[in-house]
Amino acid sequence: MSTLIIIDQPPYGSWEGREALDMAFSLAAFDQPVTLMFCGAGVNWLRKGQNAGKVGQKSVERNLAAAPIFGVEALLACTEACNRYGLTQTDLLDGVTVTAVGPELTSRYDHVTFAG
Amino acid sequence: MPDRTLHILNKPPEHYRHHLCLEAIGPEDGLVFIENGVLAVVQLPTSAPDRWYALAPDLEARGLIGQIGEDRVISFDDMVELTATAGKVISW
């Protein structure tokens, strides 16, 4: 039973995005292995060098880097969105795989869902 | 029937996930527009699959019931039937 969670809310702008990420991690901790797919504005969660202190939030970079420990099997990023936000492989956190959204992707998982 | 995916879309055309859903649909998949998703029937995206439907109560609420062919309009029970017979259901 494999699950793909799609995260398309941008980071730090609203609590909605953070809640989606926290929900995804908690699902991963309890559920079978989970893959996170960042799409749209959500790919911005994966940019290196986040420093959210001055907006009163904790950076999630460390959590994402430790994703495997949280039971997250893979971190995926949507090709189209990465292009739109100027994110090349070197801009992205380590271990992120850039891939396109399509039937081949969603067919690989038993459940495809959104965390918010 | 092959292990087909049924996509349920309640987002209006401008919503990002409306676009994402259309990207993820395979040629054999089914698509059901519900709630705000039914607004798409006025100008159907070219990437919509052959097997698409829209939910009657939502069409009626928005005065869209006459805009599409009878064969495209489904009741809530029809939708439940579709979800029961689909290999997998994704709610966008």
Side-chain angles (χ1 to χ4, degrees):
Chain A
M1 289 296 277
S2 55
T3 301
L4 178 72
I5 300 179
I6 298 178
I7 293 175
D8 57 6
Q9 298 94 338
Y12 308 120
S14 69
W15 287 110
E16 198 190 27
R18 185 52 185 264
E19 280 156 11
L21 206 58
D22 292 346
M23 191 191 295
F25 273 113
S26 50
L27 281 174
F30 293 107
D31 211 330
Q32 288 75 16
V34 165
T35 294
L36 302 186
M37 173 71 173
F38 293 83
C39 293
V43 295
N44 292 289
W45 284 105
L46 301 173
R47 179 181 279 108
K48 276 187 188 151
Q50 297 172 34
N51 181 0
K54 293 199 175 65
V55 293
Q57 291 185 46
K58 220 158 50 79
S59 151
V60 297
E61 211 170 317
R62 280 190 313 279
N63 311 41
L64 287 170
I69 303 169
F70 288 98
V72 173
E73 238 181 28
L75 295 177
L76 306 179
C78 166
T79 313
E80 190 194 329
C82 284
N83 296 338
R84 190 177 330 125
Y85 287 103
L87 284 162
T88 61
Q89 196 64 50
T90 50
D91 302 315
L92 294 168
L93 299 178
D94 301 338
V96 171
T97 305
V98 180
T99 183
V101 171
E104 332 72 41
L105 175 75
T106 51
S107 60
R108 287 209 304 265
Y109 300 90
D110 298 307
H111 294 290
V112 175
T113 181
F114 289 82
Chain B
M1 194 175 63
D3 182 8
R4 256 208 314 265
T5 299
L6 180 70
H7 301 261
I8 298 179
L9 181 54
N10 68 349
K11 301 292 185 293
E14 297 76 16
H15 193 286
Y16 171 73
R17 284 184 203 169
H18 189 102
H19 151 75
L20 199 65
C21 168
L22 294 175
E23 296 264 313
I25 291 182
E28 290 304 315
D29 289 353
L31 168 60
V32 177
F33 294 111
I34 66 171
E35 299 162 9
N36 286 331
V38 302
L39 296 175
V41 300
V42 178
Q43 198 186 19
L44 213 59
T46 50
S47 52
D50 303 339
R51 250 183 288 275
W52 68 267
Y53 309 96
L55 199 57
D58 290 317
L59 288 167
E60 277 155 25
R62 295 163 177 79
L64 291 170
I65 195 75
Q67 299 254 353
I68 58 176
E70 280 291 313
D71 56 337
R72 296 292 186 184
V73 179
I74 60 171
S75 68
F76 200 75
D77 291 344
D78 297 333
M79 183 166 113
V80 171
E81 178 66 21
L82 283 172
T83 55
T85 53
K88 179 168 66 183
V89 177
I90 303 178
S91 293
W92 295 85

